[in-house]
Amino acid sequence: MTSRLVVLGSCGAWPEPGRACSGFLLEHAGFRVVLDLGYGTLPGLLRLLGNTTASGVDAVIVTHRHPDHMVDVHGLFRARWFGERGGAAIPLYAAAGVWERLCEFEEDDTEPLHRVFEPHPLPAEEYSLGPFRLESRSLPHFVPNAGVRLSCEEFVLAYTGDTGPSPEITELAREADLLITEATDRQQREGVPAPDTAERLDLTSTEAGGVAREAGVGKLLLSHFWPGNDRSESRSAAAEAFPGEIVLAEEGLELALPRAMFPG
Ligand SMILES: [Zn+2]
């Protein structure tokens, strides 16, 4: 198995035609971790796995309970439960409310969910999963949101989920090889309803670039683009703040992991 990060979906809020919402597959050292599984991400995940039963997922991380980040976790559950019952439960590291939301899809009987997933809370003390150390921090959003940092011998990856500006992001992403964060940029489009709070609970790409610079990350992967936005405009805005490499998320895009190309 090559070490790579694959983008399953790059849209925020709801998916554009032919695209999906937030989701990433991280593969390293024979271990597969899924980071978020929003609207429309499951087909891309199954294509990468090469099966219809979601066989081969070792762990799932969900940053928060908004459906553009987690609704296809229920699809993953169905693929396991109806497609290939009986395997070991998949550890599911998730922010408050994710598990409850999954349970709501299941009417009264949540036993099948417990057979497919083993829930663990985020944020939390460190976890060890496969080759990774998983650290997490609470970041500001409309609902509880856990930013995550996955470290192994070869690289460090940080992912914010959705977050407003916060010094916690800089700590989460400190000198990470790769930071995945949002370029929600609602301000690019006219007529997008303003959030019903004055509190800042999403990042613009300019802010994403600023965080990347402050944290000293190696590479910035911008994602969670508002549907219809001009993504090159988001890149330019981030580049004003961050001098390093900026990559725009795209369904199916694969990134070789930092340092993984230079073993030893
Ligand atoms: Zn979102």
Side-chain angles (χ1 to χ4, degrees):
M1 188 187 287
T2 50
S3 294
R4 61 180 181 168
L5 179 90
V6 187
V7 178
L8 304 173
S10 64
C11 299
W14 77 98
E16 291 180 14
R19 295 191 185 273
C21 279
S22 296
F24 305 89
L25 174 65
L26 173 60
E27 295 182 341
H28 179 62
F31 197 83
R32 287 196 186 92
V33 190
V34 174
L35 297 165
D36 282 349
L37 269 183
Y39 298 118
T41 48
L42 184 62
L45 175 64
L46 295 176
R47 183 177 56 78
L48 291 165
L49 295 172
N51 60 65
T52 56
T53 60
S55 175
V57 173
D58 296 301
V60 177
I61 294 171
V62 179
T63 56
H64 64 291
R65 65 178 184 255
H66 280 160
D68 58 325
H69 295 257
M70 59 70 70
V71 80
D72 275 16
V73 177
H74 193 263
L76 173 61
F77 155 71
R78 286 193 159 199
R80 297 303 301 151
W81 183 246
F82 294 118
E84 194 181 320
R85 205 170 293 185
I90 303 168
L92 170 64
Y93 305 90
V98 171
W99 183 253
E100 290 75 9
R101 191 148 279 182
L102 288 170
C103 288
E104 283 169 11
F105 283 123
E106 286 306 295
E107 313 296 345
D108 297 327
D109 182 12
T110 58
E111 174 63 20
L113 270 175
H114 283 277
R115 298 260 298 275
V116 170
F117 294 120
E118 182 185 84
H120 300 277
L122 288 179
E125 294 293 304
E126 265 179 46
Y127 291 109
S128 172
L129 52 154
F132 298 109
R133 189 163 62 125
L134 168 61
E135 298 165 271
S136 50
R137 285 174 186 257
S138 179
L139 300 178
H141 196 48
F142 299 88
V143 296
N145 176 72
V148 293
R149 178 183 177 97
L150 287 158
S151 319
C152 61
E153 279 182 24
E154 293 79 8
F155 60 87
V156 176
L157 176 157
Y159 173 45
T160 60
D162 291 354
T163 178
S166 162
E168 290 287 297
I169 313 172
T170 312
E171 294 312 310
L172 183 82
R174 179 77 62 202
E175 293 180 358
D177 297 283
L178 178 67
L179 168 63
I180 309 171
T181 193
E182 62 180 304
T184 302
D185 289 337
R186 291 184 196 221
Q187 78 285 355
Q188 261 196 35
R189 307 196 61 78
E190 286 181 19
V192 174
D196 53 11
T197 168
E199 206 180 337
R200 295 295 321 291
L201 297 171
D202 280 301
L203 293 184
T204 63
S205 44
T206 306
E207 290 166 331
V211 167
R213 188 192 63 241
E214 276 171 32
V217 307
K219 189 183 290 193
L220 172 63
L221 177 60
L222 288 178
S223 191
H224 201 269
F225 298 102
W226 194 268
N229 270 11
D230 178 348
R231 297 177 176 205
S232 63
E233 203 177 297
S234 296
R235 179 206 290 274
S236 302
E240 283 175 23
F242 179 60
E245 186 182 353
I246 297 171
V247 179
L248 302 181
E250 180 82 26
E251 284 68 13
L253 176 77
E254 291 188 23
L255 293 184
L257 291 163
R259 298 186 205 155
M261 291 178 291
F262 310 105

